[in-house]
Amino acid sequence: MTLTVPPPTAAATRRRAAWLAYAAVAWAIGYGTLRAAWVVGPPSLGPLGTDLVVVTGWWSVALQAAAATAGVGLARAHAWRPALAAAAWTVCAAILLSCALLLLDLVGFLILDLSPAFTLAGFLSRAGALTGAALLHAAALAHLRRFRGDCGRCGRARRSGGPAPRWARVAAWAAVAGCLVRLAAQVAVGFGDLPLAQGASVVAFEVGFLLAGVLLPLALVYRWGTVWPGWVPLLAGRRVPRLVPLAPAVVFAVGLVSYFGVGLAQLAVETATGTVDLGDGRYPLGFFWFAESGYWVWGWGLGVAAVGYHLRTRRPCRHCGR
């Protein structure tokens, strides 16, 4: 005798969507209040003097107000509102751009060498902004799933499993290409001192650079990203826990796209106005264009490949079977 799980009721789906929306509202109000307090009396934020970028000061407070407004709209909507969902995702994108410096925090944690500009208050503020963006995204996604006619619980339009789709493979190789462009830009200007002469943290950065730029994207689209290959001791033939490649891919994709998206926009404005600061002049302007563009393409490719990996490795929904 097989036990079947009944599909979620419309009321249950509605409650779940409303809960996520109001959670986003509550977070936006709380975090927005903190932002307002920091505008009036900011804490010590180190040499940078700021915790956020692009959207700062009272604009950051206004952004949280927009997030709360979008959350209320999502919670109270009785029909599919594409403009409302688009507005919510636009606010999410703006919040992600504002906490772009979180990428530097993450890299510092990984190589055990935090930047001199790092402050705990700034890091927690950026993490808080990211949490709010994640909640608002979840609320907008729940709104989409509730009204577009697919399963109200998972919202899936395709079944799990199968090989990586072509678009995911293209994205993965684009990520590798972006990494290699960044590396080629460095080769063109030289490496200076050998990494070993600069300390273990630089060696860890270089190793992580290659792993995240070559191994990780390809793991998202080939079989050895779901089943440990034969050259991995003790684990060969076992299934790879899906979060092992997926979690770092998502984190780095968001970080690279937001941080270097801001960097490219700033570089474009400074190039157009002739105000580019080349520092000590060791690196020419072309280096920055190639390096930052490579990072940005790397981030987008990694993110799209991660979406493909998520779609094919997730467990089938208990309610719709997809």
Side-chain angles (χ1 to χ4, degrees):
M1 178 179 178
T2 58
L3 178 64
T4 59
V5 179
T9 64
T13 301
R14 183 173 63 252
R15 286 194 300 270
R16 181 172 182 272
W19 181 89
L20 285 169
Y22 282 125
V25 171
W27 188 269
I29 292 174
Y31 186 70
T33 302
L34 174 66
R35 300 279 352 143
W38 280 18
V39 172
V40 176
S44 175
L45 295 171
L48 294 179
T50 183
D51 55 331
L52 303 180
V53 295
V54 182
V55 186
T56 59
W58 286 110
W59 287 109
S60 65
V61 179
L63 185 60
Q64 295 305 315
T69 302
V72 171
L74 291 170
R76 298 177 63 85
H78 297 292
W80 166 235
R81 297 286 186 265
L84 179 59
W89 278 316
T90 300
V91 172
C92 287
I95 294 175
L96 289 177
L97 287 178
S98 73
C99 59
L101 294 177
L102 199 58
L103 176 65
L104 300 184
D105 298 332
L106 176 63
V107 172
F109 285 131
L110 289 177
I111 66 175
L112 302 179
D113 185 20
L114 295 175
S115 164
F118 174 87
T119 64
L120 181 60
F123 166 70
L124 293 177
S125 173
R126 291 186 283 271
L130 182 63
T131 300
L135 283 173
L136 187 59
H137 164 70
L141 190 60
H143 176 73
L144 174 67
R145 290 172 176 176
R146 178 184 171 193
F147 292 111
R148 74 178 183 177
D150 292 327
C151 173
R153 180 61 62 85
C154 71
R156 298 175 184 177
R158 53 158 289 180
R159 293 187 178 276
S160 305
R166 177 181 173 82
W167 52 265
R169 293 195 300 272
V170 170
W173 282 105
V176 174
C179 174
L180 295 181
V181 166
R182 168 62 183 93
L183 186 60
Q186 192 66 55
V187 170
V189 299
F191 287 90
D193 296 333
L194 292 176
L196 288 175
Q198 300 180 28
S201 62
V202 177
V203 175
F205 175 81
E206 298 295 341
V207 172
F209 181 92
L210 293 176
L211 290 177
V214 179
L215 185 66
L216 181 58
L218 299 182
L220 296 170
V221 295
Y222 289 105
R223 186 174 183 274
W224 44 272
T226 55
V227 178
W228 293 108
W231 46 266
V232 178
L234 304 178
L235 296 175
R238 298 176 180 270
R239 291 199 64 81
V240 177
R242 66 193 302 266
L243 289 182
V244 168
L246 187 59
V250 171
V251 171
F252 277 111
V254 172
L256 289 171
V257 169
S258 59
Y259 183 84
F260 289 100
V262 173
L264 279 172
Q266 181 179 0
L267 185 62
V269 171
E270 292 178 352
T271 301
T273 57
T275 58
V276 179
D277 181 6
L278 297 179
D280 59 5
R282 176 184 175 187
Y283 298 121
L285 179 60
F287 167 81
F288 294 101
W289 273 107
F290 274 96
E292 295 196 20
S293 297
Y295 274 126
W296 202 55
V297 171
W298 177 1
W300 278 110
L302 194 60
V304 173
V307 171
Y309 185 87
H310 163 70
L311 292 177
R312 68 189 180 90
T313 60
R314 60 191 177 180
R315 292 180 179 179
C317 176
R318 296 184 301 165
H319 302 277
C320 70
R322 291 177 180 171

